Amino acid sequence: VSIDPIYLESIKHIIIGSIINIQDITEKVKLEHMRSDFVANVSHELKTPLTSISGFVETLRLNENIDVQTRNRFLSIIETESDRLKRLIDDILLLSFIENNEKIVYEGVSLYNVFLEVYEMTNYIAKSKNINLTYEFDDKSIVVFANRDYIKQVFLNLIDNAIKYTPENQGKTVKVSVGTKQDKIIIKVKDEGIGIPKEDINRIFERFYRVDKARSKEVGGTGLGLAIIKHIVKSLGGTIEVKSELRHGSEFIVNIPEKISFK
Ligand code: ADP
């Protein structure tokens, strides 16, 4: 049987067109699923501290004769949970702000200056836990064309995590190093902490994913820190990777292309 090649060609186009359409729809459905999963997660994460706050407020209101010690304990739980709620809301807003790429101001940012600000904020926490926070800058004059707050957030979240997931009072070290290699700026944050299990390593950048939810909560985590960094780094055209050994420590490595920077 001979088929007209023009007829064959048009059938080919119809089939390819349909496949592309199906791929489009699949992508849209996937995005829609991700969005509704996120909304469900957000609602759950916000509800947990709120339920606790309203529960303790109610208990205090119904028990006028509660002893001072118990009363103070309840008040301090309410305070902790309110702080947690605030951190969650701040992180959710920041994440959506970054994702929507809203009115970001780009400027020449000195990596060293931004780092020093973060160092001051985090070093006293490290000290209080007997963790040494050290740093090494190959070149203190590196200037990146980026958003200052975003660069600060990358340093802050990585160093904060390194301290949070390192056992206290064992004289462990968190080391930050910044340098350039070929056409890239490389930021490394290395700790001697609890490490990350192999099976979780690919998931830690997902929103609200925590290896150990109880521990993350205990140390004040929102589960959004790494998702925020991932988005910032992506918006700078860079990458982030992690190397980790369970119970020995982790190293987060951020690469930012130097083409967006000048010296
Ligand atoms: P969190 O607010 O819970 O710290 P993140 O998004 O910053 O959320 O990190 C996600 C999870 O990745 C954490 O809950 C923790 O299990 C793991 N993690 C992140 N950084 C480290 C680290 N330096 N050492 C060990 N585990 C880490």
Side-chain angles (χ1 to χ4, degrees), residues 213-246:
K213 208 160 174 153
R215 185 180 174 116
S216 159
K217 230 183 129 177
E218 192 189 302
V219 292
T222 62
L224 291 173
L226 288 178
I228 289 172
I229 297 182
K230 195 180 138 187
H231 274 87
I232 292 177
V233 171
K234 200 173 147 203
S235 77
L236 296 172
T239 58
I240 177 160
E241 57 171 309
V242 54
K243 295 175 186 163
S244 186
E245 204 182 325
L246 201 56

Side-chain angles (χ1 to χ4, degrees), residues 105-149:
V105 179
Y106 279 81
E107 57 194 330
V109 181
S110 155
L111 275 190
Y112 186 60
N113 282 353
V114 173
F115 167 74
L116 279 187
E117 266 177 45
V118 175
Y119 179 78
E120 266 173 31
M121 290 161 72
T122 47
N123 190 37
Y124 89 97
I125 304 173
K127 267 191 176 157
S128 73
K129 296 180 171 183
N130 188 16
I131 294 170
N132 311 303
L133 182 57
T134 65
Y135 63 88
E136 196 180 292
F137 258 77
D138 278 0
D139 177 355
K140 293 184 177 151
S141 69
I142 304 173
V143 173
V144 190
F145 188 65
N147 178 279
R148 196 170 203 285
D149 292 342

Side-chain angles (χ1 to χ4, degrees), residues 76 175 190 192:
S76 117
K175 184 176 174 186
K190 190 174 169 52
E192 300 170 345

Side-chain angles (χ1 to χ4, degrees), residues 161 164-165 191 196 204 209-211 216 221-223 225-226 250:
N161 275 351
K164 276 190 328 200
Y165 300 107
D191 65 58
I196 303 160
I204 54 171
Y209 190 84
R210 292 103 148 190
V211 175
S216 159
T222 62
L226 288 178
S250 312

